[in-house]
Amino acid sequence: MAFMEKPPAGKVLLDDTVPLIAVIEASQSLQSHTEYIIRVQRGVSTESSWQVLRRYSDFDMLNNNLQISGLSLPLPPKKLIGNMDREFIAERQKGLQNYLNFITTHHILSGCELVKKFLDTNSYSANYTEIALQQVSMFFRSDPKWEVVEPLKEMGWRIRKRHFLIKSKNQPKERQVLSWADLGPDKFLSDKDLQSAMKLLPTLSHPYIYPVTFASASESSALVIRMFNEKGTLRDHICKAKPKDPFLKKYCSPKKIQGLDLQQIRTFGRQILEVLKFLQDKGIPYGHLHSSNVLLDGDSCKLLDLENSLLGLPSYYRAYFTHFRKISTTESIDVYSFGHLLYEMTYGRPPDAVPVDHFPPAPSTSITSVLQSILSTEACRTGMPTVTQLLQTPLFSDVLLLSSEKPQFKISTKLKEALKTANDCLEKRLLEEQKMIHQHKRLTRAQSHHGSEEEKKKRKILARKKSRQSAENDEDLSAKYNNSNNSGSGASSPLTSPSSPTADYAPF
């Protein structure tokens, strides 16, 4: 596709953060190998499901490609002799199901292109590196002062986003990063408003926002150019990673991790909250805060990828907060994401699961208090604090910001209204998805309860009780019926004495 080419008619913009659920339903043995029939479902909707056939060799190839992650992956071992035995196939199927469960529930692996293609080839058949190169080449032809130095392969986590190290022919020693992205499912701005918003990004000046050199959007994609930062992101710093390395290699299983000291946590935290407050006041939705979107610049940190919300790209933590109905606004998403970031700055790693109710020792109890107000079960159930409330906590309220640069950004009232309308649509889609997940959970709990052993026992006892009551009722009715017959025949039958055996059948 050319840079200015329109998206195909009826194009479905998939949300790549929606998890895929994979269950091996059966296996079939052919002449020389076994195929496993996998039922794949996108999210909680049973209407969005399909079958794929995979051999063990397909699993093995996927596993080899995922070795870059450094994780210990639970793929069952190979077996050359006796691999067609029924018992072995049944045992291997269990092992492969365990493998699928691992890769589809791991936050990074589940969203990577390798896993998505393995389970949903039809939706992920496109070569996005090739598409990005084609569109970037079109852009360079219209503005020939740029040239590609090298592609930064899989540097980010998004499947439909690619990065290239580029240079300007006027300043060949300076390295910049060009980021290309396909438009996402939350793109609710009109094409005209999107182009206007993208053109404004280079004019935005803030001490804690990384500046944009150039930004442009078409009807199908967009590209943004920034200076290349050799120090990398906050996550690179925490994981001791090289900025240019692939995302899976850097962050799945880092060899060395180190949290920040208390002063850095307080300073960076305050700076990030100031940016979030600034964007909120300007009516610019964000929703994309995570440690890989924070660049380090001396004693400051600077936010990246403000364009993501304009382009309709889903949030990194979307698969988490769709389960919490109180996280339903862009501000609550930012606060929730800040909780993840604060946890990572403190402990050098993301939380294993959320909600979190027990926190390891932290450099200050004020850190734990803020984390509890965001990531605890109670917080996720009742709602997030606001950005303003976080700025007023003891952890951040007395932090001195030394930057003399004043934030500058002018946005027209018309565009501000368009951004608000687009953000309302984004929040509406989120609410609909959260409602669907909530209903699915209720149904699953009901089915689980109905199928539990305790419930089965209760139903058996109740059935026996009903059966006894029914039998007793039948006996009572039979007795009444017989007595009624005896009473009705008194005019034609001789009277009996009280001592007669037939007295047992006299009416009451």
Side-chain angles (χ1 to χ4, degrees), residues 239-252:
C239 296
K240 311 301 178 189
K242 297 177 181 178
K244 292 183 184 180
D245 280 348
F247 198 85
L248 294 184
K249 181 179 180 180
K250 290 191 290 186
Y251 306 137
C252 272

Side-chain angles (χ1 to χ4, degrees), residues 237-241 253-258 348:
H237 175 76
I238 290 172
C239 296
K240 311 301 178 189
S253 182
K255 299 294 185 292
K256 298 178 181 178
I257 57 171
Q258 182 179 350

Side-chain angles (χ1 to χ4, degrees), residues 20-24 59 74 93-107 109-110 119:
L20 298 180
I21 304 164
V23 177
I24 303 176
F59 280 90
Q93 182 172 318
K94 291 180 183 178
L96 293 177
Q97 182 63 61
N98 182 51
Y99 181 80
L100 287 174
N101 294 343
F102 183 91
I103 64 175
T104 55
T105 55
H106 188 280
H107 184 62
L109 290 185
S110 61
L119 296 173

Side-chain angles (χ1 to χ4, degrees), residues 153-185:
K153 295 181 179 179
E154 300 165 355
M155 186 175 75
W157 67 275
R158 294 188 185 277
I159 295 173
R160 304 167 202 270
K161 192 170 189 178
R162 292 293 184 269
H163 306 274
F164 302 89
L165 199 63
I166 65 171
K167 66 180 180 181
S168 168
K169 293 178 181 177
N170 300 330
Q171 296 175 306
K173 291 186 178 180
E174 281 189 351
R175 294 293 182 265
Q176 302 198 43
V177 175
L178 184 152
S179 300
W180 169 91
D182 214 358
L183 301 183

